[in-house]
Amino acid sequence: MKDHLHTSEDQLNLPEEFSRRSFLKLAGFTFAGGVLAGCQQSNLEKAIPHLIKPEELVPGVPLWYASTCAGCSAGCGVLVKTRDGRPIKLEGNPEHPISRGGLCAVGQASLLGLYDSQRLGAPLAHGKESTWEQVDAAIKAELEGIRKRNGAVRFLTGTITSPTTNELVRRFLSTFKDARHVVYDPVSSSALLDAHERTHGVRALPQFRLEKATTIVSLNADFLGTWLSPVEFTKAYRQGRSLQGTPPVFSYHTQFESRLSITGSNADERVSVSPVELAHVASRLLSLLTERAGRRLPVAVPLLDERLERCTTECVERLWRTKGKSLVVCGVNDVAIQVVVNAINEVLGNYGSTIDLNRSSYQAQGNDTDLAKLLDEIRSGNVSALFVDGVNPFYDLPGAQELAAACETIPLPVSFGERNDETAEHMHYVLPQPHELERWNDSEAIAGIVSLTQPTIQPLRPARPLMETISIWMGTKESAYNLIRAEWERSIFKRQTREQSFTQFWNKTLHDGFAIVEPKRQAVSSFNPAAVAESLRQLSTQSLQQKLFVELHASSTILDGRHAHNAWLQELPDPVTKIVWDNVASLSRKRAESLNLHEGDVVRLNREGGRVIELPIHIQQGHQDDVISVSLGYGRKGTDRFHHVNPKWLQAKPTVEKGGTVGTNAAPLLEWKGKTLSYFVSGIEVERTGTNRQIAVTQEYDFLTNPNLLGESSGEKRNIIQQASLATFVANPSAGSFPKPPLDSLWPEEHTYPGHRWGMVIDLTACTGCSACVISCQVENNIPVVGKDEVARNRELQWLRIDRYYEEEGETLRVAHQPMLCQHCGNAPCETVCPVLATVHNSEGLNQQVYNRCVGTRYCANNCPYKVRHFNWFQYPRGDEIARMVLNPDVTVRDRGVMEKCTFCVQRIQLAKIEAKNEGRALRDGDVKSACQQSCPADAIIFGDVNDPNSEVSRKMKDPRTYRVLEELGVRPSIGYMTLVRNSDGIAVAEGGMKNG
Amino acid sequence: MKLLNNRMTTVVLLVAVVLTMSVFFTSFTSNMRLPDNHQGFEPVQPIAYSHRLHAGELGIDCLHCHGGAEQSRTAGIPPASTCMNCHQFVTASILSVREEDKLAAKESRPPRKIVSPDLQKLYRAVGLNEMGERDISLTAEGIEWIRVHSLPSFVYFNHSAHVNSGVACQTCHGNVETMERVRQVSDLSMGWCVNCHRDANANGINAKPVNASIDCDACHH
Amino acid sequence: MAEILSTLRPPLVLGNKSYADITDDVCSALERKSSTGWWTSFIIAVGVLILGAISVGYQLVTGVGVWGLNNTVGWAFDITNFVFWIGIGHAGTLISAILFLFRQRWRTSINRSAEAMTLFAVICAGIFPIIHTGRPWFAYWFIPYPNFRGPLWVNFRSPLVWDMFAIGCYLTISALFWYVGLLPDLATIRDRAKTMWRKKIFGFFSFGWDGSNRTWQRYEKLYLLLAGLATPLVVSVHTIVSWDFATSIIPGWHTTIFPPYFVAGAVFSGFAMVLMLMLIVRKVMNLEDYITLHHIENMTKVIIATSGMVGLAYITELFVAYYSGNPYERFAFINRALGPYGWAYWLMVTCNVVVPQFFWWKKIRRHVGMVFILSIFINVGMWFERFVIIMTSLTRDFLPGSWSGFTPTILDITTLLGSFGLFFTLFLLFARFLPMIAIGEVKGVAGVKRATPPGAVEKRKEVAHEPAPVG
Amino acid sequence: MSRRLLVSTFAHEQDLLDATNTAREKGYTILDSFTPFAVHGLDKAMGMRPTRLAWVTFFLGISGAIAKLWFQIWTSATSWPVNVGGKPLKSVPAFVPVTFEVMVLFAGVGSVLFFLFRRKLWPGKKPRFVYERTTNDRFVLVLVEDRADFDVSEVRQLFAPFHLVNLEERMEQES
């Protein structure tokens, strides 16, 4: 495998885009300079071929490698597209059982991390660059000493899904008397595991099978956003909500939550509750269900207020009706609630059907109890060696300062990581880790689903994976490749029977990227009701009287902060708030008014113990009044690297001040509730600072209804999103359709599309707004990052945006996500007005944008009813040479002053057509997948040839749900949208639409 | 007479103006070149590789070295290893070898190995010594060929599409097999591409009907 | 000529001048040293021009992003200025051409400077379509010239191409019209020139004009023809400019009323600008006898009329929007009046509809100061009219998700100022070096009495400086 | 051959008009008259034919329009037909504005050039007739002394009532 990756260094350090970037302007000026250009070539292009040409590698032809995504610990399968020896795109592996072809925004964007020139280039010893030999020698010596005096060795990591690494760590630690492997997740699900330890006697994270559930009740679990394994869940969620078949199998999803999450925005019924209410709702659900089951609870559960009582009883009805096919999940890191939730699922008999404890998940293994214990040990100073890998405790744990101080006493603190982060800077030794695309690795994210990670590029940094380091310290100098092979031969190979020889098994796995084997057996004991009683007692003690909470949650783009150095994700609008480059304190309008705060006012959140953070506030629809929610992951050290991510000019504001950070770290507010980390923090006082900070959002008006005279959104409603309730849909498949206006043309139909005609259908019922498509498009099409200031000026460049609309009807808030991209109109208004024929129609119905012909009058953008055209207002910086290696060589890098927009990934169309031609066959449906379609975890986007009657897209085009946005304008868009159907009976969403003249 | 003269002068003036304009225009269309029109570009390469010899006399197929042209966007410059396939044996022109043999025969000694100066460069490039023998101390350094045919970065020309639909290499590159040093024959202007496509659509390639797109995004994306 | 002499109408030229006086009055202005007044205003104008030039230069180097534009609002100050200046230009052509066709003799004393104003306004306007592009160095692609790209032509369906032709043609024709009118006067200056270089320069530019009646005959015809061509041209130009918006699809732009509405507005603003200039000129160049209150009054009357048309257009727009039943159109106008840019809308209405009503009072019509101030208001109003049209329609069109706002940057403002700098610089230079008043035409309408001195005496006086018979 | 000319100067257009009329009645050959501005009726008085400039303008305009309309149709429908916004290749209505502009341009520029050409005026040309005040306040009538019995005094008598300012004889320049 390795020698496939042999690539001449020159090619890596000399991206052709480099010259490409400077081209347009240069040409421009010489053109302007006149016609008297000489004969000889101005700057000679030196081309250097491979010296020894590996058979597979043809320059200019992409190679694909199956691998595993390391964006988070969910372990999705990816296909890595490499061109001329460098990865340029990650796409979901359709065969992979976890992600099934989907890949979230984080996964897509993790590619950029590879080309981060700020990754460590050499091991650090006491803050100074050193060599591996010296570092190894020093550490080994230290370890010897520790081994002799039986010092305590602690290995602190995040969730590690790699069986090999885990095994190696175990072996390594076993060579010490007092050694422990402590695992924690910065955004912890520990309570969920602990709860199962109490109720089922095994500390495991079950695998939730949303596809099997017809009733889903989520208590603050953002499973479509960031919770555990979003892609897997989204796929399953979609599967359980299909409109095919009569009657359609379409789950009913109730979301009890305190802030508006992506999951909540997709729920059929959304109940906003305060944390305390949440606890009580849980117990109430349990008590009502046990009553239904004809049993009684040992503890009396208090009644809820009228609103919640109604919701819960309805909820219980549904759950009971569908027991065995229902699922209750809870995202609160509180053992008591989790135990109660387990009890609920037990009563409903969901264990074994929608909850799988035998094929349990390893996607989150954090154990807060262990962590707490370790922290005590550190404070009391009896840890002699601390190894930190994959986590950043001095950043993502509360009270980082005193922790750091305590660490001074540790004789041997070592950290493994990509950069010199908050933790690393307190360590004696920092050992750089390679990027996942540079290394060998393996993963078992769900018991029995093992996948491999293989290097797809020659390492850009001389880093060394953890497993190799350990093996060196243990005296066996094995390469990661051998270690993994060995481990697989030892343990994993035996857990399957299909393949006879290990080599076959290995090669097949390597090719497919994954293999399915027997899960490790674990002793799951039957449900233990004893735990429930005292959990209920605990919950009932919580007083229902109102008080202010701060909810801390993972950022939906940079998660717990591990991706804070990723410009793509920093500029990816949050699917709900649409905020970029910042974290905010979100609160309800009511609360904001009571505090007399306005959008962007900076507040100080004081927590006793002098833990203070300052944040601008953001007024958020559907937010619970007693909760202020703050996203974790921001305020990472070194993010002032983005100071100049936006273009420099007279009135430009830097994205982040020099020495500052992007956003603010909210971790100091976290609090220990006993032995678990709590993400609901009470006892916070809010203080106005009087200052105001601009928040950069990509959507400024959030409603489908016109603003009325006072600017409130109570005006006429616009026909943009067709909506229907499941009930009305079942009655009439074209329910909620807008009036179809007569579309007569003054012109004769002169232009026919005899060959292909490309079209797209976007299913609004499927789309969750997760924004994976946005990043996928950005990577595929070389879309630059423009920085906070430019976004604030509404100059973001992402070709695909997701419009998020709110509809408020009294209590209930309805949210609709609508991906909006170039509609490739048949009668494109942009084309008629372009003076220089820079945007015209092609013979396959594409609306072409020819960058090199564009003069930049912006007339086309003005005349675009969808406003999906984006202009290069400046020469947007594209980072250093290394960062530029990520550019897709098949797509022109646009220069300043030209218009750009979605091209339906025309480069893919062209290549697919050429391939077909070369193989002498016709193009098949599915040969061309647009980047957005490929990555969509919800399969909401279908792209293809509308002229081909058998293509999926042409079938969808005929679907009664399909409509076109702004059809009445007669521009004949090539993109069809499918009615957004919600499993909410008889909601008159379709009515009240406007009649179009 | 005065009046007459005036008319004369005006006429003369007009004629002069018309002439100069037409001259300018013709010159503009004929030999004035736009920037990036490198027609006739013929750089000196680091190794004086002769296409005339290899492709012409020896009749080696273009695709033998530029195999990429069949499968890829780029035809590709062959790696030095491709050269070495033959040149690990062939170290000099047959004539000079014969010379050496004669000389050796005269001096009654075994003939020495002759290595032509350009092949010495090749050997150095792949990390052998001048005589083409292994030498651990040397490292491969590659050959910095100078690119002759280059298109603007916003143009995507795909070799495989053209080669596979029967376009002869010579159509664009001229009779390379007759060139000692490769020269850019066509002007590679957009008009040149488009008009060839139009022609192909009208008359097909070698009488075989083809669909040569003249959509912008066939080349610009 | 009788009707001019009749006492029913006030004389067009006051202080019963002789032909020589007229010549002297107009030409002496050019032969005197420039007044300090002229110098100060010139220095200010050039200063502002330089400011503008710097900001445009900076913009060309850095990118259009230095303006406050964004992805939703692709045009703002740039095109506003463009339309504004084109509009200004129109009054000049109207005065010189249309009034000529209608035999409005009072035009003669203002048409020269009005035409000059047209020329300079069109120059100011013409700059913006070029610099507003992202890559101005490719602006020449607007021109359909033979090329090596296939050949690749331009899109004759694009209003921007129409614009280019319209402005080009308009500039050329106005320039010709202006220069043809200038010919006899240049000859006059040449003939009375004292200094060597004056003789040479004006000799060169007067094309050897000698006042032969055979020339005059064709000249008159030519002038009439040019007037006849310029009249539909001026209407077509602003019609086409209005089509930039009217042929688009955006609510508030896509409306058939625009051509007449824009033309009326253009004349309206143009006259206001002419008034401003004339009021300054007649003071600075003391031409009160030629540009009389009578002229000023006439122009204010035109302003009342055009203001009425503009006002009517505003009301019609609102009604049509309501009556169309098209929700987007309807909202566009609600938003125009009550949305975030409502203030601009009401400013516009006040300046363009309310303010001109003052001209119903003769006192105000004949009060130089008042007229000056009111015409400034009108110009402000007309600039905002274009701003409102562009801004309100672009910021909030079809999909609420794409709505946005616009805040000008420093460079937006300096560029706008710069265009004024350019305009006044050019006009001041014109006032300094060329006759502000069409001497020939004014003589034609001055109504000079037939002189009756005893021929002999007259003759003897003449002989004194009679040139020696040639030949 | 060179002719003798009689140059008579007046101070008011009315005098010139009357003088010219009488001169024509008396059958004198009028070469030309020179005035500071266009004196109405003078053409008739001198018995000149009306100019045909209008026709030139007309034909130039028409030809410009036709040429441009053809060019637009040719470029967008023949030379390189492109599908622009689904509009037909020959979207004639859209071609009207430019056609009109070019028509005006041709007509305008054409007639000016034609005028200059016919009257033999060009930059830097020396004026044919030099009498410094004809561009200021003098009105000049030039008669040709082509008759054998041409008598200057007779003409002076004739013009006396018209406030004759000056009378002098000149030779027409040779060249």
Side-chain angles (χ1 to χ4, degrees), chain D residues 13-35:
Chain D
E13 68 265 37
Q14 206 52 44
D15 297 326
L16 177 68
L17 270 170
D18 304 349
T20 320
N21 282 319
T22 22
R24 204 162 98 264
E25 285 151 19
K26 291 273 175 298
Y28 290 101
T29 321
I30 299 167
L31 177 70
D32 200 348
S33 56
F34 299 86
T35 57

Side-chain angles (χ1 to χ4, degrees), chain D residues 111-170:
Chain D
S111 18
V112 170
L113 290 178
F114 186 79
F115 162 75
L116 296 176
F117 178 69
R118 282 297 275 107
R119 291 313 299 159
K120 297 182 281 305
L121 302 172
W122 62 83
K125 188 207 176 192
K126 293 264 157 301
R128 212 158 93 262
F129 179 84
V130 184
Y131 183 86
E132 70 170 9
R133 286 172 71 177
T134 43
T135 53
N136 181 357
D137 60 351
R138 283 295 177 260
F139 302 80
V140 170
L141 175 64
V142 181
L143 304 178
V144 187
E145 302 183 0
D146 49 3
R147 287 192 250 155
D149 63 346
F150 189 93
D151 177 356
V152 178
S153 54
E154 188 185 325
V155 177
R156 172 165 289 131
Q157 293 301 327
L158 203 60
F159 289 171
F162 314 126
H163 311 87
L164 176 59
V165 173
N166 173 41
L167 191 70
E168 72 179 70
E169 291 186 276
R170 291 193 190 181

Side-chain angles (χ1 to χ4, degrees), chain C residues 106-144:
Chain C
W106 58 272
R107 69 181 263 287
T108 50
S109 46
I110 53 167
N111 72 326
R112 170 67 42 75
S113 21
E115 286 163 29
M117 178 193 76
T118 300
L119 212 53
F120 306 146
V122 174
I123 289 168
C124 292
I127 290 169
F128 285 98
I130 296 169
I131 64 170
H132 98 288
T133 61
R135 305 197 291 171
W137 51 90
F138 285 138
Y140 68 93
W141 281 350
F142 282 40
I143 304 162

Side-chain angles (χ1 to χ4, degrees), chain A residues 300-318:
Chain A
V301 173
L303 286 176
L304 304 158
D305 64 40
E306 177 269 334
R307 174 181 71 106
L308 291 176
E309 196 61 37
R310 202 184 62 246
C311 302
T312 35
T313 36
E314 279 175 15
C315 210
V316 165
E317 282 315 311
R318 293 180 184 281

